[in-house]
Amino acid sequence: MRSTCLVAALAGLAYAAPRPQSINFEELDAAEVPAVTGPAPEALVEPVTYSEQVAKAEAAAEVTEELSSPAKRGLVARGVNDPCSPQPAGSGPVPTPDTAAAFLAFPEFSDTANNASTPQGYALSFSNKQASVSLSSYLGLYTLKSYDPIKCQQLCDAANLCSAFNIYFERNPTLAPAEACPKPDSLTNIKCTLWGSPVTPESAKNKGQWRREFQVVIAGSNGYTKNNAPDAQTGFTGPSPMGGAINAPNSYIGQKYFPGVYDAGQCAGACQANTAYNQRHPRADGTYDACNFYNVYLLSKNNVPQGTYCSLYTKPWEKKYSTNFGQYRGSDYYSVSSSYAYTLAPQDPGHI
């Protein structure tokens, strides 16, 4: 998904200097938010296709491109099931009567969710909600044979950059609703969705939808978030945990924001591309601003994860400078979490 480039200082225009390092809301507003925020209503499996290597390469290419001529990327449309086609059998119980209200009130769903085990290495983010997660960091979907958080955790651990998962019961139709079959009988699927950012109670906001006259609803929804740091990046030391975001007195050269998956590799790509561009366009004395250090963090709006925020610097900074924990924009609070620092090794001296 298209990012927003916030690179502030280009070589030949200005030396790295003190400048505001607060959240740039104008740039956030301009960002193209990923269109896909969860699985398609009719989907049973949507394998994870996110690639760290591809994302890093795209991030580097975007920095170079955006310094001269921004462009937008198209979106791929989903397909749909054929009208009235039979759907694969579900694995969960079907309440009686076969109505959305009975599904939401079915005690077996809430009991299962409330008694589910939390996998090792994860924390329970929320339990027994009647809504599933909807975020721009969506990675993929699997349909399970049983309500098994351990199985869902294993799928998350096997996926690139999976930070969290959501497991839930979903009321689905036995036939793909169409004009000839607008309200088929129901079945119960047990779904496991994977996410490239933490999940929060506030992110569980998908309460279902209508498919013709059939109502899709959700019950027993549990969310779990992984307790770990982002991956190491080639050419950098780290990740080093910070408090909030870095607010340094100097050496700041710009920012970049990527909506969607929390991916420190995108910041590495942006940092390296920024240096490469500046090196190709040095000042008259042969110097250029080299990105020797970057701070990456997860930006959230009202506790709903939004994307990856990168701040670039010409020299490293200690944790004591990570003092920006968030800020208000009107009544909305934008918070900083999962803040880490990466240091280029060896350091680039910044001269030809």
Side-chain angles (χ1 to χ4, degrees):
M1 185 51 59
R2 194 65 170 172
S3 64
T4 297
C5 184
L6 308 183
V7 176
L10 303 183
L13 297 181
Y15 287 91
R19 61 187 73 245
Q21 294 154 63
S22 56
I23 298 166
N24 190 323
F25 293 117
E26 290 183 3
E27 300 296 345
L28 295 184
D29 291 340
E32 184 181 323
V33 179
V36 179
T37 58
E42 71 278 3
L44 295 179
V45 176
E46 289 184 343
V48 176
T49 59
Y50 189 92
S51 167
E52 296 174 71
Q53 292 77 17
V54 171
K56 183 176 180 179
E58 288 181 346
E62 286 176 12
V63 167
T64 303
E65 176 189 352
E66 289 167 352
L67 289 172
S68 53
S69 58
K72 290 188 176 180
R73 189 182 313 168
L75 301 175
V76 179
R78 299 182 194 255
V80 296
N81 289 326
D82 294 332
C84 296
S85 61
Q87 305 297 286
S91 298
V94 177
T96 303
D98 188 1
T99 64
F103 187 96
L104 292 172
F106 194 52
E108 184 174 335
F109 294 154
S110 56
D111 289 345
T112 300
N114 287 328
N115 293 323
S117 300
T118 298
Q120 294 298 312
Y122 286 74
L124 180 66
S125 300
F126 58 83
S127 179
N128 194 32
K129 281 190 167 287
Q130 293 184 337
S132 63
V133 171
S134 178
L135 285 172
S136 58
S137 61
Y138 173 68
L139 292 175
L141 160 73
Y142 296 91
T143 300
L144 306 181
K145 295 297 185 183
S146 62
Y147 192 97
D148 185 355
I150 304 300
K151 177 61 178 176
C152 199
Q153 165 250 312
Q154 292 169 345
L155 292 167
C156 182
D157 287 348
N160 286 338
L161 291 179
C162 183
S163 298
F165 66 87
N166 180 204
I167 185 171
Y168 54 92
F169 298 99
E170 184 172 272
R171 183 177 189 260
N172 293 137
T174 54
L175 304 174
E179 185 175 355
C181 56
K183 193 176 182 180
D185 293 338
S186 80
L187 57 84
T188 300
N189 280 313
I190 302 169
K191 294 190 173 183
C192 163
T193 54
L194 309 184
W195 302 91
S197 71
V199 296
T200 63
E202 293 80 1
S203 67
K205 52 192 176 185
N206 174 27
K207 296 183 178 181
Q209 58 278 133
W210 286 92
R211 299 180 62 188
R212 292 281 181 165
E213 297 176 23
F214 183 91
Q215 187 177 5
V216 176
V217 290
I218 292 155
S221 177
N222 283 11
Y224 301 86
T225 296
K226 190 179 293 186
N227 302 320
N228 69 339
D231 292 339
Q233 299 298 320
T234 301
F236 294 84
T237 61
S240 302
M242 298 287 108
I246 293 289
N247 189 20
N250 56 54
S251 83
Y252 170 73
I253 53 175
Q255 307 166 39
K256 190 165 178 64
Y257 172 65
F258 297 92
V261 173
Y262 175 60
D263 182 357
Q266 291 178 311
C267 294
C271 180
Q272 292 167 329
N274 192 286
T275 297
Y277 180 90
N278 289 347
Q279 191 175 41
R280 292 193 302 269
H281 303 82
R283 303 180 182 89
D285 63 359
T287 63
Y288 58 90
D289 287 335
C291 180
N292 281 312
F293 176 85
Y294 72 85
N295 177 208
V296 55
Y297 61 87
L298 178 70
L299 181 67
S300 297
K301 177 183 178 182
N302 299 325
N303 205 33
V304 177
Q306 302 294 303
T308 305
Y309 204 94
C310 320
S311 296
L312 314 181
Y313 299 85
T314 61
K315 69 177 185 179
W317 292 96
E318 298 176 355
K319 185 176 181 178
K320 66 181 181 180
Y321 291 98
S322 59
T323 57
N324 180 11
F325 292 91
Q327 59 200 85
Y328 277 95
R329 184 192 195 190
S331 60
D332 294 320
Y333 185 65
Y334 288 78
S335 57
V336 172
S337 62
S338 299
S339 178
Y340 290 88
Y342 291 79
T343 303
L344 187 70
Q347 294 277 283
D348 187 323
H351 59 76
I352 302 299

PDB file of all heavy atoms in Angstrom, residues 229-230 239-246 262 294-298 309 319 322-325 336-342:
ATOM      1  N   ALA A 229       9.922  -8.146  20.092  1.00  0.00           N
ATOM      2  CA  ALA A 229      10.436  -6.978  19.375  1.00  0.00           C
ATOM      3  C   ALA A 229      10.399  -7.243  17.875  1.00  0.00           C
ATOM      4  O   ALA A 229      10.303  -8.393  17.441  1.00  0.00           O
ATOM      5  CB  ALA A 229      11.868  -6.681  19.815  1.00  0.00           C
ATOM      6  N   PRO A 230      10.473  -6.194  17.042  1.00  0.00           N
ATOM      7  CA  PRO A 230      10.560  -6.403  15.599  1.00  0.00           C
ATOM      8  C   PRO A 230      11.863  -7.082  15.212  1.00  0.00           C
ATOM      9  O   PRO A 230      12.796  -7.179  16.009  1.00  0.00           O
ATOM     10  CB  PRO A 230      10.472  -4.980  15.028  1.00  0.00           C
ATOM     11  CG  PRO A 230      10.909  -4.088  16.148  1.00  0.00           C
ATOM     12  CD  PRO A 230      10.466  -4.771  17.404  1.00  0.00           C
ATOM     13  N   PRO A 239      17.039  -4.440  17.069  1.00  0.00           N
ATOM     14  CA  PRO A 239      16.343  -3.271  17.606  1.00  0.00           C
ATOM     15  C   PRO A 239      16.667  -2.993  19.072  1.00  0.00           C
ATOM     16  O   PRO A 239      16.787  -3.911  19.868  1.00  0.00           O
ATOM     17  CB  PRO A 239      14.872  -3.659  17.459  1.00  0.00           C
ATOM     18  CG  PRO A 239      14.880  -5.159  17.567  1.00  0.00           C
ATOM     19  CD  PRO A 239      16.146  -5.605  16.906  1.00  0.00           C
ATOM     20  N   SER A 240      16.778  -1.709  19.402  1.00  0.00           N
ATOM     21  CA  SER A 240      16.977  -1.259  20.770  1.00  0.00           C
ATOM     22  C   SER A 240      15.675  -0.640  21.264  1.00  0.00           C
ATOM     23  O   SER A 240      15.164   0.290  20.640  1.00  0.00           O
ATOM     24  CB  SER A 240      18.098  -0.219  20.831  1.00  0.00           C
ATOM     25  OG  SER A 240      19.303  -0.746  20.330  1.00  0.00           O
ATOM     26  N   PRO A 241      15.120  -1.144  22.361  1.00  0.00           N
ATOM     27  CA  PRO A 241      13.843  -0.612  22.833  1.00  0.00           C
ATOM     28  C   PRO A 241      13.960   0.830  23.302  1.00  0.00           C
ATOM     29  O   PRO A 241      14.892   1.192  24.015  1.00  0.00           O
ATOM     30  CB  PRO A 241      13.466  -1.548  23.982  1.00  0.00           C
ATOM     31  CG  PRO A 241      14.766  -2.144  24.432  1.00  0.00           C
ATOM     32  CD  PRO A 241      15.628  -2.233  23.220  1.00  0.00           C
ATOM     33  N   MET A 242      13.002   1.638  22.897  1.00  0.00           N
ATOM     34  CA  MET A 242      12.902   3.029  23.330  1.00  0.00           C
ATOM     35  C   MET A 242      11.706   3.172  24.266  1.00  0.00           C
ATOM     36  O   MET A 242      10.940   2.228  24.460  1.00  0.00           O
ATOM     37  CB  MET A 242      12.740   3.950  22.119  1.00  0.00           C
ATOM     38  CG  MET A 242      13.893   3.934  21.130  1.00  0.00           C
ATOM     39  SD  MET A 242      15.390   4.769  21.742  1.00  0.00           S
ATOM     40  CE  MET A 242      16.476   3.371  22.059  1.00  0.00           C
ATOM     41  N   GLY A 243      11.530   4.363  24.825  1.00  0.00           N
ATOM     42  CA  GLY A 243      10.344   4.635  25.621  1.00  0.00           C
ATOM     43  C   GLY A 243       9.220   5.075  24.705  1.00  0.00           C
ATOM     44  O   GLY A 243       8.351   4.300  24.317  1.00  0.00           O
ATOM     45  N   GLY A 244       9.257   6.364  24.326  1.00  0.00           N
ATOM     46  CA  GLY A 244       8.357   6.869  23.300  1.00  0.00           C
ATOM     47  C   GLY A 244       9.125   7.039  22.004  1.00  0.00           C
ATOM     48  O   GLY A 244      10.084   6.318  21.729  1.00  0.00           O
ATOM     49  N   ALA A 245       8.721   8.020  21.210  1.00  0.00           N
ATOM     50  CA  ALA A 245       9.440   8.343  19.987  1.00  0.00           C
ATOM     51  C   ALA A 245      10.595   9.289  20.308  1.00  0.00           C
ATOM     52  O   ALA A 245      10.531  10.078  21.254  1.00  0.00           O
ATOM     53  CB  ALA A 245       8.498   8.984  18.971  1.00  0.00           C
ATOM     54  N   ILE A 246      11.661   9.206  19.512  1.00  0.00           N
ATOM     55  CA  ILE A 246      12.827  10.065  19.703  1.00  0.00           C
ATOM     56  C   ILE A 246      12.456  11.528  19.426  1.00  0.00           C
ATOM     57  O   ILE A 246      11.775  11.846  18.464  1.00  0.00           O
ATOM     58  CB  ILE A 246      13.976   9.640  18.765  1.00  0.00           C
ATOM     59  CG1 ILE A 246      14.498   8.254  19.157  1.00  0.00           C
ATOM     60  CG2 ILE A 246      15.109  10.660  18.780  1.00  0.00           C
ATOM     61  CD1 ILE A 246      15.260   8.224  20.454  1.00  0.00           C
ATOM     62  N   TYR A 262       2.845  -3.241  10.719  1.00  0.00           N
ATOM     63  CA  TYR A 262       3.984  -2.685  11.467  1.00  0.00           C
ATOM     64  C   TYR A 262       5.231  -3.430  11.028  1.00  0.00           C
ATOM     65  O   TYR A 262       5.421  -4.604  11.354  1.00  0.00           O
ATOM     66  CB  TYR A 262       3.743  -2.845  12.967  1.00  0.00           C
ATOM     67  CG  TYR A 262       4.913  -2.406  13.833  1.00  0.00           C
ATOM     68  CD1 TYR A 262       5.379  -1.100  13.791  1.00  0.00           C
ATOM     69  CD2 TYR A 262       5.539  -3.304  14.696  1.00  0.00           C
ATOM     70  CE1 TYR A 262       6.441  -0.699  14.585  1.00  0.00           C
ATOM     71  CE2 TYR A 262       6.598  -2.910  15.501  1.00  0.00           C
ATOM     72  CZ  TYR A 262       7.050  -1.611  15.444  1.00  0.00           C
ATOM     73  OH  TYR A 262       8.101  -1.218  16.220  1.00  0.00           O
ATOM     74  N   TYR A 294      17.629   5.210  12.752  1.00  0.00           N
ATOM     75  CA  TYR A 294      16.186   5.484  12.613  1.00  0.00           C
ATOM     76  C   TYR A 294      15.411   4.943  13.799  1.00  0.00           C
ATOM     77  O   TYR A 294      15.809   3.978  14.441  1.00  0.00           O
ATOM     78  CB  TYR A 294      15.630   4.966  11.284  1.00  0.00           C
ATOM     79  CG  TYR A 294      15.494   3.474  11.130  1.00  0.00           C
ATOM     80  CD1 TYR A 294      14.366   2.792  11.592  1.00  0.00           C
ATOM     81  CD2 TYR A 294      16.468   2.721  10.464  1.00  0.00           C
ATOM     82  CE1 TYR A 294      14.213   1.432  11.412  1.00  0.00           C
ATOM     83  CE2 TYR A 294      16.333   1.354  10.280  1.00  0.00           C
ATOM     84  CZ  TYR A 294      15.190   0.710  10.763  1.00  0.00           C
ATOM     85  OH  TYR A 294      15.053  -0.645  10.589  1.00  0.00           O
ATOM     86  N   ASN A 295      14.320   5.617  14.067  1.00  0.00           N
ATOM     87  CA  ASN A 295      13.383   5.251  15.134  1.00  0.00           C
ATOM     88  C   ASN A 295      12.083   4.810  14.465  1.00  0.00           C
ATOM     89  O   ASN A 295      11.526   5.532  13.652  1.00  0.00           O
ATOM     90  CB  ASN A 295      13.149   6.458  16.040  1.00  0.00           C
ATOM     91  CG  ASN A 295      12.134   6.227  17.150  1.00  0.00           C
ATOM     92  OD1 ASN A 295      11.495   7.178  17.593  1.00  0.00           O
ATOM     93  ND2 ASN A 295      11.988   5.014  17.623  1.00  0.00           N
ATOM     94  N   VAL A 296      11.648   3.606  14.773  1.00  0.00           N
ATOM     95  CA  VAL A 296      10.407   3.079  14.216  1.00  0.00           C
ATOM     96  C   VAL A 296       9.424   2.847  15.357  1.00  0.00           C
ATOM     97  O   VAL A 296       9.799   2.396  16.439  1.00  0.00           O
ATOM     98  CB  VAL A 296      10.662   1.763  13.447  1.00  0.00           C
ATOM     99  CG1 VAL A 296      11.353   0.723  14.302  1.00  0.00           C
ATOM    100  CG2 VAL A 296       9.355   1.205  12.882  1.00  0.00           C
ATOM    101  N   TYR A 297       8.165   3.194  15.125  1.00  0.00           N
ATOM    102  CA  TYR A 297       7.146   2.914  16.142  1.00  0.00           C
ATOM    103  C   TYR A 297       5.790   2.701  15.503  1.00  0.00           C
ATOM    104  O   TYR A 297       5.545   3.064  14.342  1.00  0.00           O
ATOM    105  CB  TYR A 297       7.079   4.025  17.198  1.00  0.00           C
ATOM    106  CG  TYR A 297       6.716   5.411  16.713  1.00  0.00           C
ATOM    107  CD1 TYR A 297       5.396   5.809  16.593  1.00  0.00           C
ATOM    108  CD2 TYR A 297       7.702   6.349  16.419  1.00  0.00           C
ATOM    109  CE1 TYR A 297       5.061   7.090  16.184  1.00  0.00           C
ATOM    110  CE2 TYR A 297       7.391   7.632  16.012  1.00  0.00           C
ATOM    111  CZ  TYR A 297       6.064   7.998  15.902  1.00  0.00           C
ATOM    112  OH  TYR A 297       5.737   9.268  15.491  1.00  0.00           O
ATOM    113  N   LEU A 298       4.924   2.066  16.267  1.00  0.00           N
ATOM    114  CA  LEU A 298       3.544   1.846  15.844  1.00  0.00           C
ATOM    115  C   LEU A 298       2.721   3.057  16.249  1.00  0.00           C
ATOM    116  O   LEU A 298       2.677   3.420  17.425  1.00  0.00           O
ATOM    117  CB  LEU A 298       2.983   0.586  16.493  1.00  0.00           C
ATOM    118  CG  LEU A 298       1.515   0.269  16.178  1.00  0.00           C
ATOM    119  CD1 LEU A 298       1.362  -0.156  14.728  1.00  0.00           C
ATOM    120  CD2 LEU A 298       0.994  -0.833  17.110  1.00  0.00           C
ATOM    121  N   TYR A 309       5.572   4.291  11.628  1.00  0.00           N
ATOM    122  CA  TYR A 309       6.084   5.659  11.544  1.00  0.00           C
ATOM    123  C   TYR A 309       7.601   5.606  11.729  1.00  0.00           C
ATOM    124  O   TYR A 309       8.095   4.981  12.665  1.00  0.00           O
ATOM    125  CB  TYR A 309       5.455   6.520  12.631  1.00  0.00           C
ATOM    126  CG  TYR A 309       5.439   8.002  12.339  1.00  0.00           C
ATOM    127  CD1 TYR A 309       4.335   8.597  11.752  1.00  0.00           C
ATOM    128  CD2 TYR A 309       6.524   8.807  12.660  1.00  0.00           C
ATOM    129  CE1 TYR A 309       4.303   9.960  11.491  1.00  0.00           C
ATOM    130  CE2 TYR A 309       6.509  10.166  12.398  1.00  0.00           C
ATOM    131  CZ  TYR A 309       5.383  10.738  11.824  1.00  0.00           C
ATOM    132  OH  TYR A 309       5.363  12.090  11.557  1.00  0.00           O
ATOM    133  N   LYS A 319      18.167   6.290  24.625  1.00  0.00           N
ATOM    134  CA  LYS A 319      16.777   6.121  25.029  1.00  0.00           C
ATOM    135  C   LYS A 319      16.231   7.340  25.773  1.00  0.00           C
ATOM    136  O   LYS A 319      15.031   7.619  25.710  1.00  0.00           O
ATOM    137  CB  LYS A 319      16.646   4.865  25.896  1.00  0.00           C
ATOM    138  CG  LYS A 319      15.221   4.525  26.282  1.00  0.00           C
ATOM    139  CD  LYS A 319      15.161   3.213  27.059  1.00  0.00           C
ATOM    140  CE  LYS A 319      13.724   2.870  27.432  1.00  0.00           C
ATOM    141  NZ  LYS A 319      13.652   1.571  28.153  1.00  0.00           N
ATOM    142  N   SER A 322      13.846   9.558  23.989  1.00  0.00           N
ATOM    143  CA  SER A 322      12.571   9.026  23.467  1.00  0.00           C
ATOM    144  C   SER A 322      11.422   9.476  24.368  1.00  0.00           C
ATOM    145  O   SER A 322      10.838   8.701  25.113  1.00  0.00           O
ATOM    146  CB  SER A 322      12.633   7.502  23.359  1.00  0.00           C
ATOM    147  OG  SER A 322      12.898   6.898  24.612  1.00  0.00           O
ATOM    148  N   THR A 323      11.084  10.741  24.245  1.00  0.00           N
ATOM    149  CA  THR A 323      10.155  11.385  25.182  1.00  0.00           C
ATOM    150  C   THR A 323       8.786  11.702  24.605  1.00  0.00           C
ATOM    151  O   THR A 323       7.917  12.213  25.316  1.00  0.00           O
ATOM    152  CB  THR A 323      10.772  12.692  25.702  1.00  0.00           C
ATOM    153  OG1 THR A 323      11.081  13.542  24.584  1.00  0.00           O
ATOM    154  CG2 THR A 323      12.051  12.413  26.484  1.00  0.00           C
ATOM    155  N   ASN A 324       8.554  11.420  23.332  1.00  0.00           N
ATOM    156  CA  ASN A 324       7.249  11.712  22.721  1.00  0.00           C
ATOM    157  C   ASN A 324       6.396  10.452  22.754  1.00  0.00           C
ATOM    158  O   ASN A 324       6.593   9.534  21.961  1.00  0.00           O
ATOM    159  CB  ASN A 324       7.429  12.202  21.282  1.00  0.00           C
ATOM    160  CG  ASN A 324       6.104  12.508  20.608  1.00  0.00           C
ATOM    161  OD1 ASN A 324       5.070  12.547  21.253  1.00  0.00           O
ATOM    162  ND2 ASN A 324       6.138  12.719  19.298  1.00  0.00           N
ATOM    163  N   PHE A 325       5.427  10.425  23.676  1.00  0.00           N
ATOM    164  CA  PHE A 325       4.578   9.245  23.826  1.00  0.00           C
ATOM    165  C   PHE A 325       3.252   9.380  23.088  1.00  0.00           C
ATOM    166  O   PHE A 325       2.460   8.449  23.060  1.00  0.00           O
ATOM    167  CB  PHE A 325       4.321   8.975  25.313  1.00  0.00           C
ATOM    168  CG  PHE A 325       5.557   8.548  26.047  1.00  0.00           C
ATOM    169  CD1 PHE A 325       6.377   9.483  26.674  1.00  0.00           C
ATOM    170  CD2 PHE A 325       5.930   7.223  26.093  1.00  0.00           C
ATOM    171  CE1 PHE A 325       7.528   9.097  27.342  1.00  0.00           C
ATOM    172  CE2 PHE A 325       7.079   6.820  26.756  1.00  0.00           C
ATOM    173  CZ  PHE A 325       7.877   7.755  27.386  1.00  0.00           C
ATOM    174  N   VAL A 336       2.056   6.502  20.719  1.00  0.00           N
ATOM    175  CA  VAL A 336       3.286   5.852  20.263  1.00  0.00           C
ATOM    176  C   VAL A 336       3.482   4.576  21.076  1.00  0.00           C
ATOM    177  O   VAL A 336       3.424   4.601  22.308  1.00  0.00           O
ATOM    178  CB  VAL A 336       4.496   6.790  20.451  1.00  0.00           C
ATOM    179  CG1 VAL A 336       5.805   6.058  20.155  1.00  0.00           C
ATOM    180  CG2 VAL A 336       4.352   8.030  19.587  1.00  0.00           C
ATOM    181  N   SER A 337       3.718   3.463  20.394  1.00  0.00           N
ATOM    182  CA  SER A 337       4.024   2.206  21.083  1.00  0.00           C
ATOM    183  C   SER A 337       4.996   1.403  20.231  1.00  0.00           C
ATOM    184  O   SER A 337       5.257   1.730  19.071  1.00  0.00           O
ATOM    185  CB  SER A 337       2.750   1.399  21.349  1.00  0.00           C
ATOM    186  OG  SER A 337       2.119   1.034  20.132  1.00  0.00           O
ATOM    187  N   SER A 338       5.541   0.336  20.825  1.00  0.00           N
ATOM    188  CA  SER A 338       6.507  -0.517  20.123  1.00  0.00           C
ATOM    189  C   SER A 338       7.580   0.323  19.442  1.00  0.00           C
ATOM    190  O   SER A 338       7.890   0.146  18.260  1.00  0.00           O
ATOM    191  CB  SER A 338       5.796  -1.406  19.092  1.00  0.00           C
ATOM    192  OG  SER A 338       4.866  -2.261  19.718  1.00  0.00           O
ATOM    193  N   SER A 339       8.159   1.244  20.202  1.00  0.00           N
ATOM    194  CA  SER A 339       9.189   2.142  19.676  1.00  0.00           C
ATOM    195  C   SER A 339      10.565   1.502  19.817  1.00  0.00           C
ATOM    196  O   SER A 339      10.986   1.129  20.913  1.00  0.00           O
ATOM    197  CB  SER A 339       9.147   3.487  20.420  1.00  0.00           C
ATOM    198  OG  SER A 339      10.157   4.352  19.951  1.00  0.00           O
ATOM    199  N   TYR A 340      11.269   1.401  18.684  1.00  0.00           N
ATOM    200  CA  TYR A 340      12.603   0.786  18.661  1.00  0.00           C
ATOM    201  C   TYR A 340      13.549   1.621  17.799  1.00  0.00           C
ATOM    202  O   TYR A 340      13.112   2.375  16.925  1.00  0.00           O
ATOM    203  CB  TYR A 340      12.542  -0.633  18.109  1.00  0.00           C
ATOM    204  CG  TYR A 340      11.843  -1.600  19.044  1.00  0.00           C
ATOM    205  CD1 TYR A 340      10.458  -1.766  18.979  1.00  0.00           C
ATOM    206  CD2 TYR A 340      12.551  -2.332  19.978  1.00  0.00           C
ATOM    207  CE1 TYR A 340       9.808  -2.642  19.838  1.00  0.00           C
ATOM    208  CE2 TYR A 340      11.905  -3.210  20.844  1.00  0.00           C
ATOM    209  CZ  TYR A 340      10.544  -3.361  20.770  1.00  0.00           C
ATOM    210  OH  TYR A 340       9.904  -4.215  21.632  1.00  0.00           O
ATOM    211  N   ALA A 341      14.840   1.461  18.068  1.00  0.00           N
ATOM    212  CA  ALA A 341      15.859   2.191  17.318  1.00  0.00           C
ATOM    213  C   ALA A 341      16.800   1.208  16.632  1.00  0.00           C
ATOM    214  O   ALA A 341      17.107   0.131  17.161  1.00  0.00           O
ATOM    215  CB  ALA A 341      16.654   3.101  18.247  1.00  0.00           C
ATOM    216  N   TYR A 342      17.259   1.609  15.447  1.00  0.00           N
ATOM    217  CA  TYR A 342      18.234   0.839  14.672  1.00  0.00           C
ATOM    218  C   TYR A 342      19.377   1.763  14.282  1.00  0.00           C
ATOM    219  O   TYR A 342      19.149   2.903  13.849  1.00  0.00           O
ATOM    220  CB  TYR A 342      17.599   0.264  13.409  1.00  0.00           C
ATOM    221  CG  TYR A 342      16.575  -0.820  13.654  1.00  0.00           C
ATOM    222  CD1 TYR A 342      15.276  -0.508  14.055  1.00  0.00           C
ATOM    223  CD2 TYR A 342      16.897  -2.161  13.479  1.00  0.00           C
ATOM    224  CE1 TYR A 342      14.335  -1.498  14.270  1.00  0.00           C
ATOM    225  CE2 TYR A 342      15.962  -3.165  13.693  1.00  0.00           C
ATOM    226  CZ  TYR A 342      14.677  -2.832  14.085  1.00  0.00           C
ATOM    227  OH  TYR A 342      13.740  -3.816  14.303  1.00  0.00           O
TER     228      TYR A 342
END
